[in-house]
Amino acid sequence: MLRILDTILGFTSEAATAFPSYSTTVFPHQVITDLTVCFSPCSTCKLNPRVWHRIEKDLYLHTSRQSAWLYVALANEKELAAEDLLVTDIRVGEPPSNLSLDNSWDSRPGGIWISRSKFSSKNNHIVTEVDVLFGTDAVDPRPQWTLMRSSIQLDAPSNVPVARLSVLHGRAKPRLDDQAVLRVRQDSKFKIVQISDTHMVTGVGTCKDAIDAHGNHLPESEADPLTINFIGKILDIEKPDLVILTGDQLHHDISDSQSALFKVVAPIIERSTPFAAVFGNHDDEGIHALSRTAQMSILRNLPFSLCESGPEHVDGVGNYYLQILAPAPSRLSLSTLYFLDSHGQIPRKIFGQDYEPIKQSQIDWFVSNSQTQRKAHEKYDKGNRFHLSLAFLHIPLPEFGDSHLSIRSGSRREPTESPGFNSHFYNALAKEGISALSCGHDHVNDFCALLPQRMQQNGHEFSQPGPWLCYGGGSGFGGYSSYGKKRFHRRMRVWELDTSIGSLKTWQRIEYVMDRADELVLLERGAVVDIRGVEDEGRRFIVSYQVFIIFVLIFLTSTAFLLFQARKLRD
């Protein structure tokens, strides 16, 4: 006999705030004894807030006057009696095929069916956690979690991403600590794939500026599936030792950050590849977006994640470093990778938007750790091996737009968008001997360039190239890949370190291109390789852009002056 939970009682949307929110880490021995869906304001629920916890995701994704919420009844396994019922299975959609023979199945709103059985400490198949993800393309990369194929039945408009339950049976196994150790291969090489600006959304999204192999414009299409396929293809070709996500993993103003974030990392986790990430300016934009702290918590708990929140006294979320060690069992560090939060947008004093600069606390943190790492390497290695250091962030430093920048590979196709205030983090990078700094943000820029530095030694001034400044290039089909009327292919940057000879190489992987593109040797024997390549189109672009801005300012000033004079004559 079916037991249908009565939801026509005294629930209001205001009363919902009295319920504790549900987290997938409530307490170590939690089990689920029941679940239901409550609608507001059309129907009502009366639930005990000491037992029932609300998952803080509107199943309509805030697109309707009506809202719906999934509630789970939680209990502590240690406090259960033998006659207490626990949820052991969940189905969505059509009634279970064995419904007539098995009276343990209960119906719940939204087409949800739950099976419950009496408590037993030996039952390892009990449901311990439930979550909601959105979209027909949703994935759940968490081990032991099962994402329901059928969506919750809500009668929502077709343009609203469907809500789907994801269920954990039993206890999630703890992560293994040895996954966090990065080591060079036996040939002393280490390969990194940098993925930037994936711009994932909740649902499949829309790509508006794709082109085919010959540059012909393609019609609008679903964006995120193209991005996932592109990521998977490049990972299969390169087989990297590490993937670095350099910001704007998520598009702005999306309705469920977790669903979008899972899609980004799923192809990386599927290939058992370690990954690290920094945030971009769009990742936490929007009233429904998760904060950087919340997103970092999600990332840190995923398999193969090396992401860290960073010290609390340092501005931002995601300031940390990773060591690449010599082959096992050695503990010698051969390379250090630094990751910094480049923050987001702030209002510009005159017009438009500006970006926050790298803060002094971040610069101090970087310098302190860089000096500590360098001293440790000098002490233990006695100078026998090269130590190469790279840094990654999302928004480029002002130096990426310097008119003296000399491009050696790739192209500048749009002006650099960087902070208006220069906190001179670049100077700290140069002084600490960082080999390269790579960023994202400006999707169609993909160059590697050098900015000559004037140095003094023994009273003599000489020119020395600073750290390489490189763009990762935009990889996501949900973000723009055009400038003006010109469209460009999506791309990713690959880095290869050879710690035995102090070499650093980079190249690009581009849609439809089978071979490496714009391959460039950046370092040899630990020193910058300053061989001029193509004519510096970037410098001409910047100068031309600056001249254009000057003409615009002159025109606006002249127009304002003439209007002022005309008003005086009229008065």
Side-chain angles (χ1 to χ4, degrees), residues 298-510:
I298 291 173
L299 290 172
R300 290 185 63 192
N301 287 297
L302 291 173
F304 305 102
S305 171
L306 303 177
C307 302
E308 293 291 341
S309 298
E312 292 186 1
H313 69 277
V314 179
D315 287 284
V317 177
N319 301 293
Y320 59 106
Y321 66 88
L322 298 174
Q323 301 277 17
I324 303 175
L325 306 182
S330 174
R331 301 299 299 176
L332 176 65
S333 172
L334 300 180
S335 178
T336 305
L337 308 177
Y338 293 93
F339 304 88
L340 292 101
D341 185 354
S342 56
H343 314 293
Q345 287 185 329
I346 55 176
R348 193 182 295 273
K349 292 183 178 180
I350 302 176
F351 63 90
Q353 294 289 323
D354 196 0
Y355 297 95
E356 289 191 77
I358 297 296
K359 308 295 185 179
Q360 188 60 47
S361 65
Q362 294 175 283
I363 298 174
D364 294 341
W365 167 84
F366 161 74
V367 171
S368 174
N369 282 285
S370 175
Q371 292 178 353
T372 299
Q373 298 303 321
R374 185 170 63 252
K375 290 177 181 178
H377 184 266
E378 291 172 352
K379 176 181 179 180
Y380 293 107
D381 192 47
K382 309 298 183 182
N384 295 326
R385 295 201 190 192
F386 300 98
H387 189 272
L388 308 178
S389 296
L390 289 78
F392 297 88
L393 43 66
H394 179 70
I395 298 175
L397 301 182
E399 284 76 9
F400 277 78
D402 195 298
S403 60
H404 297 94
L405 198 69
S406 184
I407 292 178
R408 296 292 186 264
S409 174
S411 301
R412 181 192 295 280
R413 303 185 180 98
E414 62 176 312
T416 290
E417 281 197 352
S418 59
F421 175 77
N422 193 338
S423 59
H424 302 293
F425 179 48
Y426 175 85
N427 294 344
L429 294 170
K431 185 176 180 180
E432 291 301 313
I434 295 298
S435 302
L437 169 68
S438 194
C439 68
H441 190 59
D442 301 324
H443 299 191
V444 298
N445 286 342
D446 62 0
F447 62 76
C448 278
L450 287 172
L451 184 62
Q453 295 287 296
R454 305 302 299 177
M455 308 291 288
Q456 285 191 349
Q457 186 174 359
N458 300 326
H460 299 285
E461 188 177 81
F462 62 97
S463 178
Q464 175 178 312
W468 285 95
L469 301 178
C470 297
Y471 275 102
S475 62
F477 288 78
Y480 75 90
S481 190
S482 56
Y483 190 73
K485 295 184 178 180
K486 179 68 173 177
R487 298 184 181 186
F488 303 95
H489 291 114
R490 270 72 180 180
R491 60 200 62 225
M492 301 178 194
R493 181 164 295 282
V494 184
W495 303 83
E496 186 178 70
L497 296 81
D498 189 334
T499 57
S500 65
I501 59 174
S503 169
L504 176 63
K505 293 195 297 185
T506 187
W507 59 88
Q508 295 185 69
R509 285 294 182 180
I510 304 175

Side-chain angles (χ1 to χ4, degrees), residues 2 91-100 105-107 111-113 153:
L2 299 181
R91 307 281 178 86
V92 179
E94 296 296 325
S97 58
N98 60 341
L99 185 61
S100 60
W105 286 99
D106 303 338
S107 173
I112 299 174
W113 297 84
Q153 298 169 6

Side-chain angles (χ1 to χ4, degrees), residues 199-215:
H199 281 267
M200 293 288 192
V201 298
T202 311
V204 296
T206 303
C207 178
K208 300 180 179 180
D209 60 359
I211 53 179
D212 64 17
H214 306 289

